[in-house]
Amino acid sequence: MDRHLEAFLEMLAAERGAARNTLAAYAADLGDLAAFLRQREPRGLAAASADALRAYLARLAEEGLSARTAARRLSAMRQFFRFLAREGVRPDDPTELLDSPRQGKSLPKALRAAEVTALLDAAARLPGKRGPLTVAMLELLYCSGLRASELVGLPASALAQDSALILVRGKGNKDRLVPISGRARTAVLGLQDPKKPSKWLFPSYGASGHLTRQSLVLLVKQAALEAGLDPAKVSPHVLRHSFASHLLEGGADLRALQMLLGHADIATTQIYTRVLEERLRELVETHHPLA
């Protein structure tokens, strides 16, 4: 690995508390850039010019990569070259001369409340231990809006017996308190075995000691199939979107929603207002006599 890229990744881990998957994504994106530049810039990745970076973005477009993917690659490039300029590795930041790819904001895909109910009912019908486990995880996902990685990584201490709040460690190792429903609490506590205490709320026999994101996704897909829903349209991320959308529909404050979701920037949360606008438009077009 390029030594400057390695230093950048070390900075992300040490100073920003970046998760393993985040570091892997940066390494992959910048590694692809390095491979592209290998024939163009013999001095290495750190010496890339703005023209070379622009040519790389043009190649991404030629290969049919979406504007969203190109924007993510450009974001990684900007952070990397800003780091190099800050550390004095190079005197300038070539990404300042680059334009961001235009991309339309896609609306989050949220389930209807009736679909969530059907999903929970179907989860309870899954055989063996999968049923109670899936119900507990779905209840907790939908009532709290947790990310999949946040849910599976919950320590047992996050859920106190006498508290209506759960302590969540989110991106950048930032902690937040999220209220949960009595139903979710009962479902999760029902999984605990006093004879086999665990460090994790959802333990497993894997290397991490807790259930993996892949296992969570599989359980959610199985519940979707049982409920007669398209499993391609149901995921832990969709349940997070459903949580946010349904709260807004019920009159929740956008700032409160930002804190519950663990968004660092209110602009990230504001996309859910578009979901509400879309739902209201559908309501008028469907039910208004003059629509």
Side-chain angles (χ1 to χ4, degrees):
M1 182 183 295
D2 180 277
R3 61 190 178 90
H4 297 299
L5 175 54
E6 187 174 6
F8 172 66
L9 296 175
E10 289 176 354
M11 180 277 295
L12 290 179
E15 296 182 13
R16 303 187 189 176
R20 184 185 306 173
N21 290 338
T22 301
L23 296 174
Y26 275 109
D29 287 346
L30 292 171
D32 186 69
L33 171 63
F36 173 81
L37 294 173
R38 204 157 284 140
Q39 302 301 321
R40 295 169 171 262
E41 184 48 74
R43 293 177 297 169
L45 175 63
S49 66
D51 286 340
L53 298 181
R54 199 173 286 114
Y56 172 70
L57 292 174
R59 193 206 69 176
L60 295 182
E62 291 171 1
E63 292 180 347
L65 267 70
S66 67
R68 182 176 296 275
T69 300
R72 190 197 71 215
R73 297 274 179 94
L74 178 56
S75 175
M77 289 157 53
R78 281 180 169 150
Q79 293 189 60
F80 174 66
F81 286 104
R82 284 171 187 167
F83 165 76
L84 296 183
R86 189 173 69 246
E87 295 296 311
V89 175
R90 59 179 296 158
D92 64 334
D93 175 6
T95 63
E96 290 181 346
L97 304 175
L98 302 181
D99 295 326
S100 298
R102 293 185 178 182
Q103 54 176 327
K105 290 186 177 180
S106 59
L107 293 174
K109 299 175 182 177
L111 298 175
R112 303 287 181 178
E115 291 176 322
V116 176
T117 300
L119 189 66
L120 289 167
D121 291 342
R125 298 194 296 269
L126 294 178
K129 295 181 180 179
R130 280 186 299 160
L133 174 60
T134 308
V135 168
M137 301 189 88
L138 288 176
E139 287 278 7
L140 199 50
L141 277 172
Y142 179 58
C143 82
S144 64
L146 297 185
R147 301 177 178 93
S149 57
E150 293 172 343
L151 180 80
V152 297
L154 284 172
S157 58
L159 184 62
Q161 292 280 351
D162 57 349
S163 175
L165 301 172
I166 191 167
L167 180 63
V168 181
R169 175 152 293 182
K171 289 185 176 181
N173 286 330
K174 293 182 179 179
D175 292 337
R176 68 183 189 277
L177 287 171
V178 180
I180 62 172
S181 66
R183 284 178 42 159
R185 169 176 296 282
T186 300
V188 174
L189 292 178
L191 298 175
Q192 296 184 353
D193 186 353
K195 297 180 181 179
K196 297 180 181 179
S198 172
K199 174 184 176 182
W200 305 103
L201 206 55
F202 300 104
S204 77
Y205 295 107
S208 65
H210 59 71
L211 204 71
T212 63
R213 289 195 305 168
Q214 292 79 4
S215 297
L216 169 61
V217 170
L218 180 60
L219 289 172
V220 172
K221 301 292 186 185
Q222 290 174 348
L225 281 171
E226 180 68 25
L229 301 174
D230 183 355
K233 297 180 179 179
V234 183
S235 69
H237 201 55
V238 168
L239 285 167
R240 175 173 163 86
H241 287 324
S242 303
F243 161 83
S245 300
H246 296 170
L247 278 182
L248 270 184
E249 288 176 2
D253 176 77
L254 200 62
R255 283 289 181 185
L257 186 59
Q258 177 191 3
M259 291 188 290
L260 291 173
L261 291 171
H263 287 160
D265 190 342
I266 189 65
T268 308
T269 316
Q270 285 174 333
I271 190 172
Y272 290 104
T273 61
R274 297 187 63 201
V275 178
L276 183 57
E277 291 168 3
E278 181 71 13
R279 292 282 176 83
L280 292 174
R281 183 185 62 78
E282 290 178 2
L283 180 67
V284 171
E285 291 181 351
T286 303
H287 300 287
H288 195 282
L290 300 181

